[in-house]
Amino acid sequence: MRIMISADMEGATGVTWTDDVVPGTEQWQRFRRLFTGDVNAVIGGLFDGGATDVLVNEAHSAQRNLLLEDLDERARMLTGRHKPLSMMQGIDSGVDGVVFLGYHAGAGADGVLAHTYLENQITGVWLDGEPASEGRLNAALAAEYGVPVLLVSGDDKACDDAAGYAPGAERVAVKECVSRYAAICLPPSRTAEMLSAAARASMDRAVRTPGTAATHRIEVEFDASHLAQAAAVVPTVEQTGVRRVGFDAATMTDAMKAFKVVTAIAAGAVQGKYG
């Protein structure tokens, strides 16, 4: 029974603001330990529930945040960039379930450090007409490979979001959103118990089924017109509004690869204080 963990950091225990998740800061060094603690709690629960192999895919920023030396020795970790499927690298390797750990609400939504891929420049993403967080996008990709989402953790807004795209998944709110940069947080001893118990319970749903590929449309709205203009240079991407682009793809895998290109080009077009 093989399980994958897609581990993001904004939704980890205690994280509430920028320095907590930006590599190189003193706070980041502190929260790397708490982030690793969350991951270990889930790993333990998964093995208690019957997992025989757990692959942890680092999914935050440069994807070099977890402390390998402190990782549960039963797990394996995929770390570093660049990966074709980014946050979901490994979903195509025959895993029987996936955990979204440390996730957050999407761009334009309320939630601690809410965003979708780019921290500031994207104000909204839609998948087939539905507002899409990273969780919704990644769940659609998992479904293409027949892999169920077993567990989602993050703040309460991330868990509310998950109820829409993975209604059967366990949900663990490690903190309660007060604002984008503030939350009521539970101490790691408590969140570890919650995460471990939910991971153990989630293993009842770890059954891979035949996947189904289908066409998808992604639309992205930016906070400035020049970012939409830059993204529209990509073949198949059309500018549909002053700050908005859209594109169609034959599969969700193709859609996510195209989305990565769009966000990378937009990020490269940001210029200093004016964005």
Side-chain angles (χ1 to χ4, degrees), residues 42 46 48 64 67 79 85 90 92 103 111 113 121 131 134 141 144 153 158 168 218 224 226 228 246 262:
V42 170
L46 293 174
D48 288 345
R64 299 178 184 276
L67 298 171
T79 184
L85 296 180
D92 56 349
Y103 271 43
L113 296 175
Q121 290 75 31
E134 291 170 9
L141 183 58
E144 185 163 280
S153 75
I218 291 181
H226 70 289
V262 166

Side-chain angles (χ1 to χ4, degrees), residues 1-267:
M1 189 66 70
R2 303 175 60 212
I3 308 299
M4 172 182 151
I5 300 173
S6 173
D8 206 356
M9 195 171 183
E10 286 90 354
T13 294
V15 168
T16 57
W17 75 307
T18 305
D19 278 9
D20 296 346
V21 295
V22 173
T25 68
E26 182 179 352
Q27 285 296 98
W28 171 73
Q29 291 288 4
R30 173 192 173 202
F31 281 99
R32 293 177 76 189
R33 295 193 296 274
L34 272 67
F35 181 30
T36 305
D38 282 4
V39 170
N40 280 339
V42 170
I43 292 170
L46 293 174
F47 276 108
D48 288 345
T52 56
D53 179 79
V54 175
L55 173 66
V56 181
N57 177 22
E58 279 222 46
H60 174 69
S61 187
Q63 299 166 6
R64 299 178 184 276
N65 307 279
L66 291 170
L67 298 171
L68 179 62
E69 58 271 32
D70 293 339
L71 192 72
D72 187 310
E73 64 182 13
R74 295 171 293 180
R76 299 176 297 133
M77 186 169 79
L78 172 58
T79 184
R81 303 172 73 186
H82 295 272
K83 299 174 285 195
L85 296 180
S86 191
M87 299 178 76
M88 293 295 281
Q89 188 66 35
I91 200 67
D92 56 349
S93 65
V95 294
D96 301 294
V98 61
V99 172
F100 293 169
L101 183 146
Y103 271 43
H104 48 81
D110 189 23
V112 175
L113 296 175
H115 68 282
T116 305
Y117 269 65
L118 300 185
E119 294 86 348
N120 292 310
Q121 290 75 31
I122 291 177
T123 58
V125 177
W126 293 263
L127 174 64
D128 301 326
E130 292 289 332
S133 61
E134 291 170 9
R136 183 175 289 275
L137 294 171
N138 292 343
L141 183 58
E144 185 163 280
Y145 292 94
V147 179
V149 179
L150 305 180
L151 162 66
V152 181
S153 75
D155 71 355
D156 57 322
K157 303 299 184 182
C159 290
D160 291 344
D161 179 48
Y165 65 75
E170 299 287 327
R171 299 189 296 276
V172 177
V174 300
K175 55 199 169 192
E176 180 183 344
C177 174
V178 173
S179 72
R180 182 172 175 81
Y181 300 119
I184 299 170
C185 298
L186 296 174
S189 58
R190 288 185 61 188
T191 59
E193 292 179 359
M194 295 160 59
L195 289 166
S196 181
R200 183 170 58 252
S202 77
M203 285 298 295
D204 290 341
R205 299 186 61 251
V207 179
R208 181 162 40 97
T209 59
T212 303
T215 59
H216 293 279
R217 179 170 180 81
I218 291 181
E219 296 177 84
V220 184
E221 185 178 81
F222 299 98
D223 66 355
S225 60
H226 70 289
L227 302 184
Q229 293 163 5
V233 172
V234 179
T236 76
V237 176
E238 60 175 340
Q239 187 169 354
T240 59
V242 175
R243 296 180 291 107
R244 192 160 174 153
V245 299
F247 58 89
D248 298 297
T251 67
M252 194 61 201
T253 299
D254 289 345
M256 287 303 292
K257 289 180 178 179
F259 182 63
K260 280 184 60 181
V261 174
V262 166
T263 56
I265 288 181

